[in-house]
Amino acid sequence: MAGACVRVSSGAVLAITLAVQSLVAAAALVVPVLAPAISAQTGVAGESVGIYVSLMYVGAMAGSLMAGGWVSRLGAIRASQLGLVLCAAGLLLSVAGYTVLLAIGAVLLGLGYGPITPASSHLLIQTTPVHRMSFVFSVKQTGVPLGGVLAGLLAPKLEIGVGWQGALLVTAAACLICALLAQWVRAELDADRKPARTAGLGNLRAPLALIFSRRTLSLLAGASLCFSAVQWSFSAYLVTYLHDSLAYTLIAAGALLSLGQVAGVVGRIFWGWCADRYLGAALMLAVLAALMGLGVLVLASLSAQAPVPMVALALVVLGAAAVGWNGVYLAEIARQAPAGKTGMATGGALTCTFLGVVVGPPLFGAMMALFDSYRIAFVLIVIPSLLCGALLVVQRRRFSVREET
């Protein structure tokens, strides 16, 4: 274990990064969760939540590109603190309820969200044994769905008690408190920072140049774009599909979506263990692409008379794969990155991942409108992921060793 993280245990680093990841994920989702209440009081159209999420991930793409420079110059903990503060600022702007401020707040939340994973990857690569990387990174990535669970469970209760604005303020305060608490370990974990390094907009090209200079990194980034398009199309449209096509009530459809998300949490940990112990990252991701295709095909073939357990099983398979792939992917990005450039490589790769979030759901919606069928749209959106899975199988030997710089 090299680097500066010598006095803070690997378990403590994992706990810190998991806590930060969970909190920023909750911050990113609190406005969409409270969209009906915000719409009722402000008049902002409820369907604007899709635009809000797109703006947030445009900001996340920019934040990911800048993350490598921030981590190098400021340190991974300081970059995480900056991300938490930006998330808090985005929520504080959103409290006003004006459309323009909500839009700016979404971009700020994305800018804060973007650096968190590159920063945590920089820390974890220094404290995690190579043979446990996929598992540890997968555990850390459970912070994303866990943040969704926090937002889904706590934000509505806070809205009842203190109103939607109070819920946003509480979440912003939690981000700021977390940033303050992280200062306790900053000196040790940021000892490898390079203050002379520039960290401005001029470095935006470097992360993408690094990704596309290496075959393994570019393959992973391309696969992540396709996988994230499936993941977010599944998350965004499943309830409507179950309600409109399979005649489920909204409550029942929401419960089944939650089941798929929980399967994703379990899947992230299980797939990481499988990748470390048996398959390796490339083959594991190819298997997950195949499981996405299987889950989609079964889901698209079901009728309104299909037994609930059969629908639930299809969603467990699809959720475990479509929501559970991220940890294996990020661990392999860190493994394939040049020494000292984990944060930059992760930031560049996540730009492609977030691009899948930005374009995937709108593309799904366009295909659904064109063919007037959610079933066809689900099948079409998963085809690129299947092709990426096949390519990963063909190229899997490249992932056995790092490419030379």
Side-chain angles (χ1 to χ4, degrees):
M1 294 186 293
C5 305
V6 294
R7 288 183 289 172
V8 179
S9 70
S10 58
V13 172
L14 176 58
I16 293 163
T17 54
L18 177 60
V20 173
Q21 186 80 66
S22 299
L23 192 52
V24 297
L29 288 172
V30 67
V31 169
V33 167
L34 297 177
I38 296 173
S39 177
Q41 191 171 113
T42 65
V44 177
E47 55 269 24
S48 299
V49 68
I51 299 174
Y52 181 92
V53 171
S54 293
L55 287 172
M56 185 168 61
Y57 274 93
V58 168
M61 290 171 64
S64 295
L65 287 174
M66 292 186 286
W70 290 0
V71 170
S72 181
R73 178 174 181 170
L74 305 174
I77 291 295
R78 181 66 87 221
S80 298
Q81 290 173 308
L82 179 57
L84 287 162
V85 171
L86 285 169
C87 286
L91 291 173
L92 292 174
L93 276 180
S94 301
V95 166
Y98 296 114
T99 302
V100 173
L101 293 182
L102 280 165
I104 297 173
V107 174
L108 286 177
L109 274 161
L111 285 172
Y113 189 95
I116 299 302
T117 297
S120 63
S121 293
H122 177 87
L123 293 171
L124 290 173
I125 194 68
Q126 299 180 73
T127 58
T128 305
V130 173
H131 67 280
R132 297 183 67 236
M133 281 180 61
S134 291
F135 176 77
V136 169
F137 275 67
S138 294
V139 171
K140 195 278 296 183
Q141 279 304 110
T142 62
V144 177
L146 285 176
V149 172
L150 285 174
L153 292 179
L154 298 182
K157 294 180 180 178
L158 286 171
E159 193 275 329
I160 293 173
V162 295
W164 68 267
Q165 292 164 312
L168 266 58
L169 290 173
V170 169
T171 308
C175 290
L176 295 175
I177 291 171
C178 185
L180 287 174
L181 292 176
Q183 187 63 26
W184 290 356
V185 295
R186 198 251 169 168
E188 294 178 33
L189 297 184
D190 283 356
D192 63 342
R193 65 188 183 277
K194 301 176 179 64
R197 169 79 181 269
T198 58
L201 295 176
N203 293 314
L204 293 184
R205 293 178 57 187
L208 289 176
L210 173 60
I211 289 298
F212 292 111
S213 70
R214 293 176 172 238
R215 177 69 64 85
T216 53
L217 292 176
S218 59
L219 282 174
L220 290 167
S224 79
L225 189 155
C226 299
F227 289 4
S228 64
V230 174
Q231 176 182 346
W232 283 86
S233 295
F234 163 71
S235 299
Y237 288 99
L238 178 67
V239 170
T240 305
Y241 168 68
L242 292 175
H243 181 266
D244 291 353
S245 300
L246 300 188
Y248 279 79
T249 67
L250 289 178
I251 293 176
L256 286 170
L257 174 61
S258 297
L259 177 64
Q261 296 294 324
V262 170
V265 173
V266 176
R268 289 186 186 214
I269 298 173
F270 181 69
W271 306 135
W273 178 78
C274 287
D276 283 336
R277 192 171 181 87
Y278 298 112
L279 298 181
L283 193 54
M284 186 73 257
L285 290 171
V287 168
L288 293 179
L291 288 175
M292 289 182 211
L294 176 63
V296 162
L297 287 175
V298 173
L299 185 66
S301 66
L302 295 175
S303 68
Q305 290 74 41
V308 174
M310 184 179 295
V311 178
L313 180 60
L315 292 178
V316 166
V317 173
L318 182 53
V323 181
W325 57 274
N326 311 67
V328 175
Y329 156 68
L330 289 169
E332 191 61 20
I333 289 289
R335 186 183 288 115
Q336 294 293 330
K341 294 185 178 180
T342 301
M344 180 181 291
T346 304
L350 282 176
T351 302
C352 298
T353 308
F354 293 151
L355 181 60
V357 182
V358 172
V359 304
L363 179 61
F364 182 99
M367 291 187 297
M368 189 279 296
L370 177 63
F371 296 103
D372 193 26
S373 171
Y374 285 101
R375 302 174 191 275
I376 294 176
F378 272 121
V379 172
L380 292 178
I381 201 71
V382 83
I383 289 175
S385 293
L386 293 173
L387 295 176
C388 286
L391 188 58
L392 285 167
V393 171
V394 172
Q395 300 288 331
R396 65 187 184 279
R397 295 187 185 278
R398 290 181 175 271
F399 292 86
S400 59
V401 294
R402 280 187 176 184
E403 295 181 38
E404 295 298 324
T405 306

